[in-house]
DNA sequence: AAGTTAATCAACCGCTTTTTC
DNA sequence: AGAAAAAGCGGTTGATTAACT
């Protein structure tokens, strides 16, 4: 049996109060991010260490960027998701000030639906067989398919005739992917997305740390390269 | 105006990975 | 080398708010 991450009894759950936030901020300002397990006690918080970590990383960190995602951020998320799948922390790592949780929520509540409306399976980024019928008022599919720019035009498609997210999910599950047929079409080839990925500027590292970091970057690079070769979405974007 | 449904997002849970001893 | 502890991650849940009937 695995030990619980912390004592369940006597720990607060649910939304954080202003006072709790302040205690956490004050403590980290004074002592830095240290051992999350012992932090709550030291900071005088009746919270699980994991909860403190999440609160700090997702909301209290001073470098957090709040507010709506910009179009270029959205484009980048789509590209990175095509490469990396649901690896939210890696994706968030390429978006300064954004957290994995935020990116994940944004994907699930916004981007995923937009892709489905466009007839793209958000799981594998392939064009589906069941494509929403062209709508004279708002022909998203054709607009997207003929675009020679980024995915920016997706935002123009928010008034597609699908009513609910349940319906969207249904379409997604019914849909059959037909990569070879669809992606070999000329319309997709027009999309010209810059997929160059630069690794984040690492902090100045020395010795062992640096070796580890370099090793990690190579592993990631290799993985991305493999994905580039195999990813249907990127065939779509090429 | 009230009730219902849908959308959003903060937080939790449990599993995996990494680090430490 | 292996076990235990700690940290990290992604999926899911639940509370709140907005939109609709």
């Amino acid at each position: 049996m695995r030990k619980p991450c912390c004592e369940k009894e006597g720990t607060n759950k649910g939304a954080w109060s202003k006072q709790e936030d302040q205690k956490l901020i004050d403590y980290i300002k004074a002592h830095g991010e240290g051992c999350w397990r012992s932090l709550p006690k030291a900071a005088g918080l009746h919270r699980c260490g994991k909860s403190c970590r999440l609160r700090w990383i997702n909301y209290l960190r001073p470098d957090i960027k709040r507010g709506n995602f910009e179009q270029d951020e959205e484009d980048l998320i789509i590209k990175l998701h095509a490469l990396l799948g649901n690896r939210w922390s890696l994706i968030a790592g390429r978006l300064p000030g954004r957290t994995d949780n935020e990116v994940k929520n944004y994907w699930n509540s916004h981007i995923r639906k937009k892709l489905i409306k466009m007839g793209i399976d958000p799981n594998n980024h392939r064009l589906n067989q069941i494509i929403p019928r062209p709508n004279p008022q708002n022909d998203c599919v054709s607009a997207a398919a003929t675009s020679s720019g980024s995915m920016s035009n997706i935002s123009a498609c928010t008034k597609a005739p699908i009513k609910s997210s349940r319906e969207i999910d249904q379409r997604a599950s019914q849909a059959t992917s037909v990569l070879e047929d669809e992606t070999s079409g000329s319309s997709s080839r027009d999309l010209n997305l810059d997929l160059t990925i630069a690794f984040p500027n690492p902090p100045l590292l020395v010795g062992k740390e640096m070796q580890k970091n370099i090793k990690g970057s190579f592993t990631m690079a290799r993985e991305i390269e493999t994905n580039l070769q195999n990813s249907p979405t990127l065939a779509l974007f090429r």
Side-chain angles (χ1 to χ4, degrees):
Chain A
M1 240 331 233
R2 188 189 180 83
K3 274 190 179 176
C5 73
C6 55
E7 296 296 330
K8 297 285 173 191
E9 282 175 29
T11 55
N12 290 346
K13 287 177 83 171
W16 280 64
S17 67
K18 288 246 184 285
Q19 290 89 339
E20 286 179 307
D21 281 348
Q22 201 51 57
K23 276 185 182 178
L24 184 56
I25 291 167
D26 291 345
Y27 182 85
I28 292 177
K29 269 184 185 168
H31 304 94
E33 290 179 49
C35 172
W36 292 110
R37 180 170 282 232
S38 58
L39 184 147
K41 201 175 175 183
L45 286 161
H46 300 289
R47 288 276 178 176
C48 154
K50 280 172 89 167
S51 180
C52 293
R53 178 185 157 271
L54 203 70
R55 184 69 185 167
W56 174 254
I57 289 173
N58 285 344
Y59 302 99
L60 300 177
R61 251 170 38 197
D63 56 330
I64 293 282
K65 180 179 173 186
R66 312 293 302 170
N68 294 341
F69 280 74
E70 286 160 24
Q71 192 56 56
D72 58 337
E73 289 181 299
E74 187 174 313
D75 293 346
L76 188 57
I77 292 170
I78 294 169
K79 290 178 206 170
L80 289 171
H81 187 271
L83 283 169
L84 304 166
N86 296 357
R87 293 162 81 176
W88 305 116
S89 63
L90 279 177
I91 295 172
R94 301 298 313 151
L95 293 153
R98 301 294 187 184
T99 68
D100 53 355
N101 207 35
E102 201 178 7
V103 171
K104 178 175 61 181
N105 280 336
Y106 190 70
W107 173 269
N108 286 326
S109 58
H110 294 90
I111 301 176
R112 200 172 152 269
K113 289 170 191 170
K114 281 184 185 177
L115 291 179
I116 291 167
K117 279 182 189 171
M118 290 173 64
I120 295 171
D121 186 332
N123 298 316
N124 54 21
H125 295 251
R126 295 176 184 191
L127 283 172
N128 288 326
Q129 217 160 19
I130 299 171
I131 293 172
R133 282 171 188 280
N135 179 348
Q137 290 164 326
N138 203 333
D139 190 352
C140 297
V141 174
S142 56
T146 53
S147 164
S148 58
S150 70
M151 300 285 273
S152 307
N153 47 26
I154 299 171
S155 57
C157 302
T158 50
K159 288 180 182 169
I162 301 174
K163 289 237 169 77
S164 66
S165 56
R166 198 163 296 167
E167 197 181 341
I168 288 171
D169 288 341
Q170 238 169 14
R171 287 197 190 193
S173 61
Q174 285 169 354
T176 311
S177 298
V178 284
L179 165 73
E180 287 74 20
D181 296 339
E182 301 291 347
T183 57
S184 58
S186 58
S187 59
S188 308
R189 243 184 258 136
D190 292 343
L191 290 168
N192 179 26
L193 296 177
D194 176 16
L195 293 166
T196 307
I197 289 187
F199 297 109
N201 288 337
L204 197 58
L205 299 172
V206 282
K208 243 183 172 178
E209 271 299 309
M210 186 157 70
Q211 284 180 358
K212 208 165 48 180
N213 203 48
I214 290 168
K215 198 178 150 195
S217 296
F218 276 122
T219 311
M220 187 179 169
R222 206 176 310 122
E223 205 173 330
I224 290 171
E225 198 183 334
T226 309
N227 282 339
L228 272 169
Q229 283 160 6
N230 300 334
S231 168
T233 319
L234 299 172
L236 184 77
F237 291 160
R238 269 195 280 268

